Amino acid sequence: MSEQETSDNFAQWVARISDPKGNKLTWGDRKTNQCVVTVATGYPANLLKPLVNSLREHSDAHLVIATHADSGFEQVFADQNVTIFPVSESTGYRPYPALARLEYYLEILKNMPSGIEKLLLVDSRDVMFQADPFYGLPQNDLTVFAENNDTSSWTLRTINGRWAWAMLPGALRKSLKGKPIVNGGVIAGTPAGIERMCRAKLNIALTTHEWTKHTTGLDNISTNLIAHSRMAGSCEAVPNHEFVANVYRSTDMVIDPDGAIRVRDGKACPVVHMYDRQAELLAHVNQRYGVLADTSMVVSQDRSVGKSQPFAGLMHWLKLARIYMVGHA
């Protein structure tokens, strides 16, 4: 496929989803203004037991799961008041699954009950709740959560820096310098704020080199541009481990006797994201929520716990060299 064909297909997809039809969903009669939305296309229902069951331990919020119509989620979670958004094999922009989520979000927003005022978008396979995620949540149109608190992390030594270099012209790259890196795996806001964010991400995708160079990281970079500008209106960035614990392999985590997960010398955050980055946490969560061992490692590319990344540093610098040789605006 040529670059021009890719460009045309991408632009056509953006044009189509910009005017969502709004699939009719069965929302039930729950008396709540809160809603959690996640996308689980390609995952077995069993893998979402930590997310679904832990949410129901603490919250009566609406829960919408976008997944393929024959995935069996309705049967597995029949008693958990889950709303299934059926996704066909033909929807979504295939080369970039992270972008496909925008199509599902816009469709769900189009048909969302008028009473919903608080939204939480979360990743599906690596998120669990330890408290009501809406209690104490900042009341903003858009709230994002830092993945670390190091404000000097936007450098070429990091994968985030490589993504920024690959996608953005110099002025935008410089605008991120000194800003905390935020993570797109958990995002909160109002329906209006979330919709503005989705449309801003589509606009960023259309005006960067992401889809022509086939680099990764568009979701990460667009989330950060939106967080540190007014592209989608005002946005608050909450430091890591204050409300959402974004976990990495090097994070010093503790499992308390009551099963709560927290950062050493810190608190047990209401939301834990990327617990699968540490084998002990993954095993603990899987055992607690009865996740079958044969589904616990269904992770794309090299993100599974225990998978080595040989020559990862070398590959990072080779990709940077390619970007430099090809050129960048």
Side-chain angles (χ1 to χ4, degrees), residues 27 62 108 111-117 191:
W27 289 86
H62 288 284
I108 292 168
N111 188 52
M112 186 163 285
S114 58
I116 300 296
E117 298 176 357

Side-chain angles (χ1 to χ4, degrees), residues 57-282:
E57 289 174 0
H58 304 289
S59 172
D60 193 44
H62 288 284
L63 173 58
V64 181
I65 302 177
T67 186
H68 293 125
D70 59 351
S71 60
F73 276 63
E74 289 178 312
Q75 291 75 25
V76 172
F77 300 116
D79 60 345
Q80 298 287 32
N81 294 308
V82 170
T83 298
I84 300 299
F85 175 80
V87 175
S88 71
E89 296 289 347
S90 62
T91 58
Y93 186 62
R94 296 274 68 80
Y96 303 102
L99 280 182
R101 294 188 296 186
L102 301 179
E103 177 174 356
Y104 313 145
Y105 292 157
L106 288 171
E107 288 286 342
I108 292 168
L109 285 165
K110 180 74 173 183
N111 188 52
M112 186 163 285
S114 58
I116 300 296
E117 298 176 357
K118 302 176 183 178
L119 270 178
L120 194 64
L121 309 183
V122 299
D123 284 353
S124 57
R125 63 171 174 79
D126 59 357
V127 169
M128 54 96 63
F129 302 96
Q130 303 190 117
D132 183 347
F134 293 96
Y135 181 78
L137 186 68
Q139 300 303 300
N140 306 310
D141 269 359
L142 203 56
T143 302
V144 294
F145 305 91
E147 65 180 38
N148 61 54
N149 296 326
D150 181 359
T151 58
S152 63
S153 291
W154 284 104
T155 71
L156 291 180
R157 292 190 299 274
T158 67
I159 190 170
N160 298 282
R162 189 183 79 223
W163 287 336
W165 186 272
M167 292 173 53
L168 304 176
L172 282 180
R173 290 201 304 273
K174 291 177 182 177
S175 74
L176 294 175
K177 189 174 182 180
K179 305 291 177 61
I181 299 172
V182 301
N183 191 291
V186 181
I187 297 175
T190 63
I194 295 294
E195 181 175 355
R196 287 196 299 271
M197 179 202 71
C198 291
R199 295 188 182 280
K201 286 193 173 191
L202 291 176
N203 288 334
I204 292 169
L206 283 170
T207 54
T208 68
H209 295 285
E210 166 72 11
W211 47 272
T212 55
K213 288 190 175 181
H214 288 274
T215 60
T216 56
L218 173 61
D219 189 60
N220 174 288
I221 294 301
S222 61
T223 300
N224 278 271
L225 284 175
I226 290 167
H228 301 307
S229 71
R230 297 187 65 85
M231 291 182 179
S234 61
C235 178
E236 178 180 350
V238 177
N240 196 10
H241 304 134
E242 285 197 4
F243 191 86
V244 174
N246 283 305
V247 179
Y248 288 86
R249 289 183 176 89
S250 59
T251 310
D252 189 12
M253 304 301 294
V254 174
I255 302 173
D256 289 334
D258 63 357
I261 297 171
R262 61 179 173 86
V263 181
R264 190 177 300 277
D265 299 325
K267 62 181 180 180
C269 293
V271 185
V272 179
H273 177 220
M274 302 188 297
Y275 60 79
D276 63 343
R277 301 298 179 90
Q278 295 189 17
E280 184 180 4
L281 298 187
L282 179 63

Side-chain angles (χ1 to χ4, degrees), residues 22-37:
N23 288 26
K24 297 299 181 183
L25 302 178
T26 303
W27 289 86
D29 57 355
R30 306 173 73 80
K31 305 301 183 184
T32 176
N33 65 352
Q34 305 165 345
C35 182
V36 176
V37 179

Side-chain angles (χ1 to χ4, degrees), residues 44-60:
N46 184 265
L47 194 62
L48 262 72
K49 283 184 177 179
L51 185 151
V52 176
N53 294 347
S54 67
L55 178 67
R56 286 295 170 248
E57 289 174 0
H58 304 289
S59 172
D60 193 44

